[in-house]
Amino acid sequence: MNLPTPVGRQPHVAYLPPTGHHVVLGTAGTGKTVMAVLRALYLSDPGVQGSGKTLLVTYNNALVTYLNHLSNGASSALDIRTYGRFARGYLNDRGLMQGWNAIVKPNQRRSLVETAIRTTSKGYKPHTFFDRESGWFRDELSWITGMGINSEEEYLKAERLGRRTALNANLRSVVWKILEKYRELRDARGHQYDWDDIAMTVRDQLAIDGRSRLYRHVIIDEGQDLAPEEIRSLVEAIQPDGSVTFFGDYAQQIYGQGMSWRACGLMVRQTETFRDNYRNSTAIANVAIALSSQPFFGRTDELVPPVAPTAAGPKPTLVHCVSQEQEISVIQDAAKRLGSVGTVAVVARTWADADRACEGIQSNRLQSDKYFWNSAPGVYRTTYHSAKGLEFDAVLMPFCGADKVPLNDVVEALGNDDAAERESKLLYVALTRAKSDLLITYSGALTPLLPSTAGLFAEVSP
């Protein structure tokens, strides 16, 4: 096994009862992924009473690779996969997955939604609503299907949790027509699903599937980023005498669903809550705490306030550069120095920026299942999204100027308020991947999303 030694109350979670629903909430660095793997190994062990086929599910392939690394040598009764792979496999078993073309690709979905907007707008007088960036509409359609909303009436009554842009009943009716037109266009091109609404069909099929369930236990890692409908389908995918264990941190909810586990079909008497940060140094944790305390960060009843650790470490370094080229030079010098003795992640907002920051130096692109996780010293490059759930000795974050963060495309699509909330949570994810060293560079003005509290950073110029 490649698991770190569990500490404190972490082993307790592994041995929670093998029946019913359990929720484990914890801030960054509390070891949720370690606990998830421990519980998966325990419940899939044939020698344990109540054990059985176990699914450990998360949301992206990079994290699947990491979970496989941690659980090396596990019983064949343990499956580790993304929700998408689980859903696709189940529907294929039901004869409802007509090849890879059955799921529309993201770029195709964008084009179909844009066509649906233009087509729908022709039935109305000219209105600025239709001039919104198509990303806003794609995001709203994802929210609707992710919530499992099946009718216009249901949508009109729904509280749009996690969405700060108001939408009156008339405009919601327009959005619903766009959704219907998009589905019509998608069906005409031979696509049955997109990655956002596939869970609705999984739930429909589970409701009429009288066969014995494949899994006795389901463990959900990074559960705050699965849509409610996805979680509901996982709840319905287990045997009656089995268990569901949800691990999450709502400070790291980066996909805008804004829904608590309480509305996802989980019936829990008591949550397990972890506040002690075992990953980050005190100095790094203080930046994360200050970031999560800012008003635009958003609030939920499930947000666990972190406790600053006592681990020593240098202050995070904030480097003001004269240009992005100078930022790259600073990042590369630090990467080569720190990567010779430990794991270093160059984490950027986009893949283009991550690749650009590492151009010319030896680095591994940490993306999907093309990456093999071996924890060897060296330099890894990735994005804020793909770094989720991972940890490194050092994290280097280039291009944190106001012109880059929040991302302009996100601001145009969602507006300033929604963009600030989502992008600040991405920053939180990125900087809390670091165990001991954190370096942030920017040119021009610093992003307004980082906390400006005096003393948090060692501020330098090259």
Side-chain angles (χ1 to χ4, degrees):
M1 296 297 172
N2 299 302
L3 272 173
T5 302
V7 295
R9 292 175 51 244
Q10 289 179 350
H12 163 75
V13 169
Y15 307 122
L16 288 169
T19 57
H21 301 167
H22 309 280
V23 169
V24 182
L25 301 177
T27 188
T30 51
K32 295 182 298 300
T33 294
V34 170
M35 288 186 278
V37 174
L38 281 172
R39 181 147 176 81
L41 293 172
Y42 175 71
L43 291 175
S44 61
D45 184 345
V48 170
Q49 185 175 4
S51 68
K53 188 75 171 177
T54 299
L55 172 64
L56 174 54
V57 64
T58 190
Y59 82 106
N60 74 21
N61 283 312
L63 194 47
V64 166
T65 304
Y66 184 54
L67 292 170
N68 276 312
H69 166 74
L70 291 179
S71 61
N72 181 41
S75 162
S76 60
L78 175 60
D79 279 351
I80 302 175
R81 56 183 63 195
T82 62
Y83 179 84
R85 186 180 172 202
F86 156 76
R88 191 176 64 225
Y90 175 71
L91 293 180
N92 184 63
D93 185 60
R94 296 287 287 170
L96 296 173
M97 187 60 59
Q98 298 170 8
W100 288 97
N101 192 54
I103 304 173
V104 68
K105 293 179 174 61
N107 62 331
Q108 295 170 324
R109 179 176 183 267
R110 174 196 288 265
S111 177
L112 291 172
V113 170
E114 289 174 350
T115 301
I117 295 167
R118 290 194 300 271
T119 303
T120 303
S121 69
K122 294 176 182 177
Y124 295 86
K125 294 179 180 179
H127 195 287
T128 56
F129 181 67
F130 295 105
D131 296 332
R132 293 188 181 191
E133 209 275 333
S134 68
W136 183 91
F137 290 96
R138 297 196 307 274
D139 190 74
E140 186 72 10
L141 301 192
S142 295
W143 183 86
I144 291 170
T145 54
M147 290 296 176
I149 294 173
N150 286 296
S151 68
E152 181 178 355
E153 291 73 24
E154 191 178 350
Y155 178 45
L156 291 173
K157 295 176 183 177
E159 182 181 358
R160 294 172 65 252
L161 296 170
R163 322 190 70 68
R164 299 190 182 201
T165 305
L167 204 61
N168 64 36
N170 290 335
L171 293 180
R172 291 197 197 197
S173 292
V174 175
V175 171
W176 191 263
K177 286 183 173 59
I178 291 171
L179 174 59
E180 291 179 325
K181 176 55 67 175
Y182 157 68
R183 286 173 170 166
E184 177 186 320
L185 294 168
R186 188 182 71 187
D187 291 346
R189 284 161 177 76
H191 307 299
Q192 299 163 274
Y193 320 103
D194 60 36
W195 289 114
D196 296 306
D197 68 9
I198 195 170
M200 300 175 76
T201 304
V202 171
R203 280 196 77 196
D204 289 343
Q205 288 299 307
L206 285 167
I208 60 175
D209 188 351
R211 300 173 300 172
S212 176
R213 299 295 192 242
L214 174 62
Y215 296 109
R216 188 170 188 178
H217 305 288
V218 168
I219 295 159
I220 305 168
D221 189 37
E222 300 289 351
Q224 74 281 347
D225 283 325
L226 292 185
E229 192 72 350
E230 293 173 335
I231 294 172
R232 294 179 194 122
S233 68
L234 291 168
V235 170
E236 294 165 11
I238 63 167
Q239 298 170 15
D241 61 347
S243 69
V244 174
T245 311
F246 173 103
F247 291 85
D249 176 10
Y250 283 88
Q252 299 183 61
Q253 189 174 53
I254 58 177
Y255 289 105
Q257 292 291 349
M259 178 67 79
S260 164
W261 61 265
R262 297 179 189 277
C264 296
L266 297 174
M267 295 172 286
V268 178
R269 292 182 181 177
Q270 179 180 345
T271 61
E272 302 287 336
T273 303
F274 289 78
R275 293 184 170 87
D276 294 313
N277 186 333
Y278 298 110
R279 177 192 303 141
N280 309 126
S281 68
T282 302
I284 292 171
N286 284 339
V287 174
I289 292 169
L291 174 58
S292 65
S293 300
Q294 298 187 108
F296 51 70
F297 195 80
R299 288 292 176 267
T300 170
D301 292 341
E302 309 306 333
L303 189 65
V304 177
V307 174
T310 58
K315 281 186 180 181
T317 303
L318 188 62
V319 186
H320 188 190
C321 298
V322 297
S323 65
Q324 290 185 4
E325 288 69 28
Q326 190 177 53
E327 289 188 63
I328 293 171
S329 177
V330 169
I331 290 291
Q332 292 193 357
D333 287 346
K336 288 184 283 189
R337 172 172 51 85
L338 294 168
S340 64
V341 294
T343 55
V344 178
V346 177
V347 188
R349 179 61 182 83
T350 66
W351 280 112
D353 281 344
D355 291 340
R356 182 184 171 208
C358 293
E359 188 174 0
I361 66 171
Q362 179 62 42
S363 65
N364 297 291
R365 202 172 198 258
L366 201 168
Q367 183 180 25
S368 301
D369 50 2
K370 298 176 183 177
Y371 177 74
F372 179 76
W373 184 266
N374 61 9
S375 297
V379 180
Y380 306 90
R381 66 189 192 275
T382 187
T383 65
Y384 296 171
H385 286 90
S386 291
K388 190 75 168 292
L390 307 179
E391 61 180 36
F392 306 87
D393 295 316
V395 167
L396 315 178
M397 297 171 59
F399 312 131
C400 286
D403 60 335
K404 285 282 191 176
V405 182
L407 197 67
N408 286 334
D409 287 350
V410 178
V411 174
E412 290 176 8
L414 303 180
N416 290 322
D417 291 341
D418 278 337
E421 179 172 344
R422 295 201 202 177
E423 297 282 292
S424 63
K425 288 182 177 178
L426 282 171
L427 281 174
Y428 181 95
V429 167
L431 65 89
T432 55
R433 301 309 95 198
K435 291 195 241 180
S436 58
D437 290 277
L438 174 64
L439 183 149
I440 300 172
T441 68
Y442 71 102
S443 49
L446 180 65
T447 172
L449 302 185
L450 279 173
S452 58
T453 308
L456 285 178
F457 298 98
E459 301 187 43
V460 301
S461 297

